[in-house]
């Protein structure tokens, strides 16, 4: 028995408090690390958005100053402001690409050095050390590459790192981004038609929503009955559980498809018969316009040296329009630049090499988020150089964007324009021909033919008769 004092409280008893679990400390630490990494990713995406809007803002600012040359309210909009904006975007984009994103990856993967006290600061120390080692490795590799190509520049870079080495490194990063845009944009321009077709409601001649909706409803009911049958059974095997999880996932997919089809079936006749053809015509016009502008730029490269992309220090805004068609041409340039950026993102995530990076709702880990931020930053920071190299705009590159070494090489710029025009034309022709053939086969009901029957051997009279019966 423990003695009690006069107040009835036990004497000599020790108060016990619940000790914090080690797992809770670990979860709090991981949550803090993930929060910091997400902040860095948010900053990187903000820089990427600013890089995309650099050229549109510069072009529109010039047109505003041309329209209101003596306006008191437009005095703040000048060349020094735009030039400073370009320098800031260049600085933060390279800072995010070279330091912040690698640090975010190492920070999330680190656990602290062996024998050190665990915590967030231990992870910071390990991430900083790994980042320094990576920086030394990259510096050594690029210095060796510069020594093999330009021995004099390599010697100077040892004494003046900021003046010689960093522009060389930035030039290599920009060249990689521009080459990535060259591969993704033509493919994305062709994919834009199919992506837009999935978002819009097609005319009844090209798509029978009611038929597809009924088939999807039957499939959903069948999966629902199978799930109820498995849940009612007394079998607890692991294979049954795996089969049930796969079937539940398939059921949710079919259910989402059915809901989307129901919403598409409620579309108005104007949206069904006018929206889809108009959107396809707008996409086709923008794509053809891009190809024609690139072809015209190729001719200018052969005839005029001024068509080469170059940098400038003072933009001289408000002096003259950067398009021969005035404000209308400048607006078209802005639309084309944004359209090329959207197409490059679509092509990037549609390519087989980068399909695994596509973010999925509530199923994307932090490493994948960091990889997406890096990819979008590379694409967006290369967009101004990409647009000026192709001749989409005549606005010359400002600040350090115009200091890239390869911009003055005529053969690289000329070959780049030819490859873009050729790849885009080939992708467009293939997409249009295959899309027309696929929609005609689906509209005439020939997609229901058995696989043993070759659709290319279907007589033209049968195709015409099937089409006439559909129209009637």
């Amino acid at each position: 028995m423990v003695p009690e004092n006069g107040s009835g409280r036990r004497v000599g008893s020790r108060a016990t408090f619940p000790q914090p679990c080690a797992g809770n400390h670990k979860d709090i630490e991981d949550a803090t690390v993930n929060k910091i990494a997400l902040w860095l990713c948010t900053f990187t995406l903000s820089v990427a958005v600013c890089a995309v809007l650099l050229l549109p803002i510069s072009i529109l600012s010039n047109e505003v100053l041309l329209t209101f040359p003596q306006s008191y309210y437009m005095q703040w909009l000048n060349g020094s402001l735009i030039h400073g904006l370009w320098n800031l975007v260049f600085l933060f984009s390279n800072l995010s690409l070279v330091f912040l994103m690698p640090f975010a990856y190492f920070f999330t993967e680190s656990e602290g050095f062996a024998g050190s006290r665990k915590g967030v600061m231990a992870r910071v120390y390990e991430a900083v050390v790994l980042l320094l080692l990576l920086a030394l490795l990259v510096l050594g590799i690029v210095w060796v590459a510069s020594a093999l190509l330009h021995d004099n520049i390599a010697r100077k870079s040892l004494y003046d790192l900021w003046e010689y080495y960093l522009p060389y490194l930035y030039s290599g990063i920009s060249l990689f981004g521009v080459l990535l845009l060259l591969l993704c944009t033509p493919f994305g321009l062709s994919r834009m038609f199919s992506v837009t077709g999935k978002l819009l409601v097609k005319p009844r001649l090209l798509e029978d929503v009611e038929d597809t909706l009924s088939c999807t409803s039957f499939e959903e009911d069948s999966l629902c009955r199978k799930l109820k049958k498995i849940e009612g059974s007394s079998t607890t095997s692991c294979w049954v559980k795996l089969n049930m999880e796969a079937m539940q996932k398939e059921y949710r997919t079919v259910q989402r498809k059915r809901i989307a089809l129901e919403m598409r079936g409620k579309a108005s006749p104007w949206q069904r018969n006018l929206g889809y053809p108009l959107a396809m015509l707008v996409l086709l016009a923008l794509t053809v316009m891009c190809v024609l502008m690139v072809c015209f730029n190729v001719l200018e490269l052969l005839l005029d040296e001024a068509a080469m992309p170059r940098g400038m220090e003072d933009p001289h805004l408000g002096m003259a329009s950067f398009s021969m068609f005035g404000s209308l041409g400048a607006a078209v340039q802005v639309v084309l630049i944004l359209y090329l950026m959207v197409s490059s993102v679509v092509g990037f995530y549609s390519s087989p090499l980068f399909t695994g990076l596509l973010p999925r709702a509530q199923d994307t880990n932090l490493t994948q988020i960091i990889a997406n931020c890096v990819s979008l930053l590379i694409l967006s920071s290369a967009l101004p150089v990409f647009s000026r190299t192709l001749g989409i705009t005549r606005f010359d590159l400002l600040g350090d964007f115009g200091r890239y070494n390869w911009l003055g090489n005529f053969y690289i710029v000329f070959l780049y324009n030819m490859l873009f025009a050729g790849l885009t034309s080939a992708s467009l022709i293939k997409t249009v021909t295959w899309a027309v053939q696929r929609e005609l086969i689906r509209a005439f009901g020939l997609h229901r033919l058995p696989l043993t029957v070759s659709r290319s051997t279907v007589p033209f009279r049968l195709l015409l008769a099937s089409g006439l019966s559909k129209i009637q």
Side-chain angles (χ1 to χ4, degrees):
M1 296 293 292
V2 179
E4 298 180 355
N5 57 10
S7 61
R9 185 175 299 174
R10 292 183 178 182
V11 178
S13 62
R14 181 176 299 175
T16 58
F17 298 96
Q19 297 296 325
C21 180
N24 294 334
H25 281 298
K26 181 66 175 177
D27 293 339
I28 294 174
E29 180 183 331
D30 290 339
T32 304
V33 170
N34 293 339
K35 187 182 297 184
I36 295 174
L38 286 177
W39 285 346
L40 296 177
C41 292
T42 304
F43 177 78
T44 302
L45 287 179
S46 303
V47 175
V49 172
C50 293
V52 172
L53 298 178
L54 268 183
L55 270 180
I57 289 176
S58 303
I59 296 171
L60 293 178
S61 301
N62 181 69
E63 297 302 322
V64 168
L65 291 177
L66 282 175
T67 307
F68 307 101
Q70 304 297 330
S71 177
Y72 174 78
Y73 299 100
M74 295 298 170
Q75 295 300 318
W76 59 274
L77 191 60
N78 49 37
S80 61
L81 175 66
I82 301 299
H83 191 273
L85 182 63
W86 280 67
N87 286 334
L88 286 177
V89 171
F90 181 84
L91 173 64
F92 287 129
S93 62
N94 287 282
L95 180 66
S96 301
L97 192 62
V98 177
F99 294 105
L100 296 185
M101 286 295 96
F103 173 79
Y105 175 74
F106 292 141
F107 191 42
T108 55
E109 297 294 330
S110 61
E111 294 290 340
F113 292 109
S116 63
R117 185 177 180 181
K118 301 299 181 182
V120 177
M121 292 307 300
R123 290 190 173 194
V124 172
Y125 296 149
E126 183 181 355
V128 170
V129 170
L130 291 175
L131 184 61
L132 290 177
L133 293 176
L134 178 64
L136 290 176
L137 178 63
V138 173
L139 286 174
I141 292 175
V142 179
W143 185 84
V144 171
S146 63
L148 293 176
L149 298 176
H150 306 285
D151 184 54
N152 295 328
I153 295 180
R155 290 179 180 177
K156 293 179 180 179
S157 65
L158 290 175
Y159 304 102
D160 198 347
L161 183 68
W162 183 266
E163 185 67 25
Y164 291 97
Y165 176 74
L166 290 181
Y168 192 86
L169 178 61
Y170 295 156
S171 180
I173 294 175
S174 70
L175 182 60
F176 173 75
V178 171
L179 291 178
L180 188 61
L181 282 174
L182 177 63
L183 297 177
C184 296
T185 307
F187 183 55
L189 290 172
S190 61
R191 284 283 300 166
M192 285 292 290
F193 293 91
S194 59
V195 171
T196 307
K198 293 179 181 178
L199 298 177
L200 299 178
V201 182
K202 299 179 182 179
R204 295 185 183 276
L205 179 63
L206 300 179
E207 182 184 30
D208 192 354
V209 179
E210 288 77 9
D211 189 11
T212 309
L213 179 59
S214 62
C215 294
T216 306
S217 301
F218 287 143
E219 186 178 0
E220 183 182 3
D221 294 339
S222 175
L223 289 173
C224 184
R225 287 193 298 269
K226 291 180 180 178
L227 284 173
K228 290 181 179 179
K229 184 177 179 180
I230 294 177
E231 290 175 357
S233 63
S234 58
T235 307
T236 59
S237 174
C238 61
W239 299 106
V240 175
K241 292 182 179 180
L242 291 175
N243 189 21
M244 185 176 178
E245 291 177 358
M247 196 173 295
Q248 287 177 347
K249 186 176 180 181
E250 185 180 0
Y251 175 75
R252 288 192 293 267
T253 303
V254 174
Q255 191 178 27
R256 287 194 297 266
K257 182 180 178 182
R258 192 256 306 165
I259 295 173
L261 287 172
E262 288 179 352
M263 295 182 63
R264 290 163 70 93
K266 297 177 182 179
S268 62
W270 287 99
Q271 184 181 357
R272 181 186 299 273
N273 298 320
L274 186 62
Y276 180 79
L278 188 61
M280 292 297 108
L281 287 177
V282 170
L283 291 179
L284 183 62
L286 290 175
T287 307
V288 172
M289 198 177 301
C290 289
V291 176
L292 291 178
M293 291 184 71
V294 173
C295 294
F296 183 73
N297 187 54
V298 169
L299 295 178
E300 281 194 331
L301 287 173
L302 295 175
L303 300 177
D304 190 6
E305 187 179 356
M308 287 286 296
R310 62 182 184 273
M312 62 176 177
E313 294 298 329
D314 191 1
H316 298 292
L317 296 180
M319 298 295 180
S321 179
F322 292 103
S323 174
M324 63 179 66
F325 299 104
S327 299
L328 179 61
V332 172
Q333 288 180 4
V334 171
V335 173
L336 289 179
I337 291 171
L338 298 178
Y339 175 63
L340 287 176
M341 184 61 201
V342 175
S343 301
S344 65
V345 173
V346 172
F348 177 81
Y349 286 114
S350 301
S351 61
L353 295 176
F354 307 106
T355 305
L357 288 179
L358 183 64
R360 294 174 178 84
Q362 300 180 356
D363 191 23
T364 306
N365 55 30
L366 194 54
T367 304
Q368 194 173 355
I369 293 175
I370 295 174
N372 279 277
C373 293
V374 171
S375 303
L376 293 176
L377 182 61
I378 291 176
L379 292 175
S380 58
S381 59
L383 182 65
V385 184
F386 174 74
S387 303
R388 181 61 186 91
T389 304
L390 294 179
I392 303 298
T393 180
R394 293 299 177 194
F395 193 92
D396 287 322
L397 303 172
L398 293 177
D400 292 324
F401 280 93
R403 295 177 60 188
Y404 297 140
N405 299 328
W406 57 271
L407 285 176
N409 194 319
F410 170 79
Y411 298 101
I412 293 179
V413 175
F414 180 77
L415 182 62
Y416 190 88
N417 281 263
M418 292 294 295
L419 285 175
F420 180 83
L423 291 175
T424 306
S425 301
S427 301
L428 183 62
I429 292 173
K430 181 180 178 181
T431 301
V432 171
T433 54
W434 278 97
V436 170
Q437 180 183 358
R438 183 175 61 252
E439 296 298 343
L440 285 176
I441 290 176
R442 184 179 300 174
F444 294 145
L446 299 179
H447 63 286
R448 299 186 181 92
L449 290 175
L451 295 177
T452 55
V453 179
S454 177
R455 291 168 185 168
S456 60
T457 60
V458 176
F460 178 74
R461 292 181 180 179
L462 178 59
L463 181 66
L464 183 60
S466 177
L468 291 176
S469 64
K470 281 275 184 181
I471 294 175
Q472 292 175 357

